[in-house]
Amino acid sequence: MNHRLLILDDDEGILEAYAAILSPKTNAPVVRSSRASARTQAAAAPVLHPVQYEVTYTKTGLEAISAIEQAYAAGLPYAGGFFDVKLGGELDGIDTIRRIKDIDPDLLCVLVTAYQDRSIEDITNVFGATFSDRWDFLNKPFTKAEILQKANNLTANWDRRRREKEYIEKIKAQQEQLIRAERLAAVGTMARGIGHEFGNILLSIMGHADLALQSKDPSQMEEALKLVGKSSERAAIIIRNLQSMVKTEPKREKVDLVLPIKEALELVGHEIKKHAIKVTEHYAPNLPKTVVNRVEMGQVFLNLIINAIHAIGNKGGEIRITADADERNIRIMVADSGSGIAEENITKIFEPLFTTKGNKGSGIGLSVSRKIIENHGGHISVRSEVGKGTVFLVQIPVA
Ligand SMILES: Nc1ncnc2c1ncn2[C@@H]1O[C@H](COP(=O)(O)OP(=O)(O)OP(=O)(O)O)[C@@H](O)[C@H]1O
Ligand SMILES: [Mg+2]
């Protein structure tokens, strides 16, 4: 509890009256320009109030300012002060408060007036609205009860405001920590996403490079190397896109959705061949273009196609890709003749980190895909039958 108070009044008798009320036990109130009479009075006063105030008595504005400056600098600020409005000397009470309110931003002030010196509006005008909850007033002649009650309020308010300030600072710090943690989590998710995506691309680059190395046929070799180049380009685009994603809104453009599907198929062409998978494509004529992030949509189709390849495994099979549109949505279906999804897993496959592939899967592909699709205002759903295959339906609103 801060029980330090400052009194400013140029009238010796009034200072004595304050001392009698606020410093009844300490025989020697600190009267800066001390006079014996103040002490005598104080010594005679009975103990009337359990609160022990540490009071500094000052007679001029400059004395008050210097006391407040020193106390604030020493880390022992006053909770508040009683300031006589009408003062002789260089500064009156108002001028003094005007100066000290900027020295100690927490100091609470009681303006003591002998008569209606200034109206409350006047005072608010003088100090500004931000100061309005830091001052109070008291009319002379005051009673002991009034002084004690004001002193009580001053110190209690000072403590309450200090606690509130600490509380707000604590909350602010917690919020900043939360935002930092969120940002870190986002960076982490992104890093995993990039890793996942680059894993796919590297797979394609290595596969085609392998093919080029083993091939004796120059035209086949050239074809494979071209795909290595394309995959690398795609990696560069993703990096560029990610960089712009960190900085600004992801870039969207009017796109024929068949393009990112074709790109994704190309990237895994090697895997498709290796697993003896037949791909059939059927795209409705005159499919409307739609505004999407092309790289992100490519990522979705790549994830779906790679999952289909995994589901088919080594026994060969079929992947069917179709696209059509109604007046609201473009609908892309990716169907495979693979293992299918067990009923108990069907609700889990879009959850982040859910995988049935052990160390070979991270369980991120579908959760990222769904996020991307939902960011485009679209929807993804699945139908599956164990042993028969799986159909993913992606719907993206027509731009
Ligand atoms: N076409 C599919 N056929 C059968 N199961 C599938 C198919 N697509 C997804 N799944 C199931 O859904 C799970 C989650 O798929 P998801 O793409 O999110 O992760 P993942 O493929 O396991 O790992 P990642 O894609 O991160 O490498 C898979 O582990 C698999 O069990
Ligand atoms: Mg996957």
Side-chain angles (χ1 to χ4, degrees):
M1 276 286 237
N2 181 356
H3 285 130
R4 280 179 291 282
L5 295 176
L6 181 130
I7 311 294
L8 169 60
D9 202 304
D10 59 353
D11 185 312
E12 185 75 22
I14 298 207
L15 280 184
E16 283 169 8
Y18 275 114
I21 297 165
L22 294 170
S23 311
K25 255 167 66 180
T26 64
N27 295 350
V30 189
V31 179
R32 289 210 154 206
S33 44
S34 59
R35 292 268 175 83
S37 52
R39 291 193 195 134
T40 327
Q41 268 261 332
V47 180
L48 288 161
H49 200 268
V51 177
Q52 286 288 305
Y53 295 105
E54 287 174 47
V55 191
T56 304
Y57 299 87
T58 58
K59 293 187 79 175
T60 69
L62 291 176
E63 273 178 50
I65 289 168
S66 119
I68 283 161
E69 256 170 0
Q70 283 173 28
Y72 190 69
L76 291 168
Y78 292 100
F82 291 76
F83 298 86
D84 188 21
V85 171
K86 273 273 156 82
L87 281 178
E90 268 172 78
L91 300 171
D92 73 8
I94 301 276
D95 294 326
T96 306
I97 292 174
R98 214 200 306 258
R99 297 259 299 266
I100 60 162
K101 81 181 174 56
D102 297 323
I103 297 169
D104 181 343
D106 301 319
L107 189 86
L108 302 172
C109 304
V110 175
L111 280 73
V112 186
T113 57
Y115 43 89
Q116 215 48 44
D117 310 88
R118 300 200 197 207
S119 72
I120 290 175
E121 293 91 85
D122 274 351
I123 292 169
T124 299
N125 284 342
V126 169
F127 295 132
T130 52
F131 190 68
S132 63
D133 63 340
R134 279 175 57 200
W135 69 269
D136 193 357
F137 72 95
L138 181 64
N139 283 324
K140 284 185 194 173
F142 46 72
T143 65
K144 189 161 85 187
E146 279 171 333
I147 291 289
L148 282 177
Q149 186 55 21
K150 292 275 187 217
N152 224 330
N153 282 347
L154 275 187
T155 52
N157 281 345
W158 192 93
D159 280 322
R160 180 179 48 74
R161 289 166 67 105
R162 173 55 56 100
R163 279 197 306 275
E164 278 172 6
K165 217 169 162 179
E166 282 168 2
Y167 182 67
I168 289 169
E169 268 160 25
K170 205 167 117 189
I171 290 193
K172 260 197 196 148
Q174 281 173 346
Q175 276 174 344
E176 270 162 30
Q177 204 185 339
L178 244 162
I179 291 169
R180 241 192 335 268
E182 244 174 46
R183 203 182 303 144
L184 277 179
V187 167
T189 308
M190 208 135 79
R192 280 195 300 277
I194 304 168
H196 185 263
E197 190 67 1
F198 269 65
N200 291 343
I201 291 171
L202 276 178
L203 209 71
S204 160
I205 292 176
M206 290 187 309
H208 289 113
D210 219 30
L211 206 73
L213 273 176
Q214 278 162 28
S215 174
K216 302 278 183 287
D217 174 2
S219 72
Q220 203 184 22
M221 204 187 288
E222 194 188 329
E223 194 53 36
L225 286 175
K226 266 188 195 156
L227 286 170
V228 169
K230 248 191 184 155
S231 296
S232 313
E233 245 169 52
R234 191 177 155 70
I237 288 173
I238 289 167
I239 286 287
R240 233 189 353 259
N241 201 54
L242 267 166
Q243 281 166 340
S244 66
M245 206 149 57
V246 174
K247 271 183 245 145
T248 54
E249 280 277 283
K251 188 171 150 266
R252 295 197 177 177
E253 53 193 329
K254 210 163 188 187
V255 172
D256 176 356
L257 275 181
V258 174
L259 286 177
I261 297 174
K262 293 263 184 210
E263 278 168 3
L265 277 172
E266 230 160 53
L267 287 174
V268 289
H270 173 70
E271 290 291 302
I272 286 171
K273 245 182 235 163
K274 199 168 102 184
H275 289 85
I277 294 168
K278 184 173 161 237
V279 176
T280 55
E281 296 164 78
H282 184 77
Y283 306 119
N286 305 323
L287 270 181
K289 287 187 177 181
T290 182
V291 178
V292 294
N293 183 315
R294 177 171 170 173
V295 174
E296 285 182 5
M297 287 315 297
Q299 191 179 338
V300 168
F301 298 127
L302 195 64
N303 287 332
L304 293 180
I305 293 166
I306 288 174
N307 280 347
I309 296 171
H310 286 162
I312 290 170
N314 291 323
K315 42 186 203 330
E318 191 185 351
I319 294 177
R320 251 178 317 112
I321 302 177
T322 64
D324 59 19
D326 55 27
E327 60 283 9
R328 272 196 271 159
N329 293 307
I330 299 174
R331 300 150 30 92
I332 298 116
M333 262 199 305
V334 179
D336 66 66
S337 61
S339 59
I341 301 167
E343 217 179 305
E344 68 266 27
N345 289 341
I346 206 101
T347 54
K348 298 183 196 152
I349 58 170
F350 293 106
E351 284 171 16
L353 306 182
F354 176 81
T355 182
T356 56
K357 299 174 188 172
N359 287 338
K360 292 210 174 97
S362 57
I364 281 177
L366 285 179
S367 70
V368 165
S369 298
R370 182 166 71 172
K371 186 109 209 128
I372 291 171
I373 290 163
E374 284 173 356
N375 284 347
H376 283 83
H379 183 72
I380 182 168
S381 56
V382 62
R383 261 186 301 126
S384 186
E385 202 176 320
V386 174
K388 283 213 167 148
T390 304
V391 183
F392 282 94
L393 172 64
V394 175
Q395 301 190 78
I396 301 289
V398 176

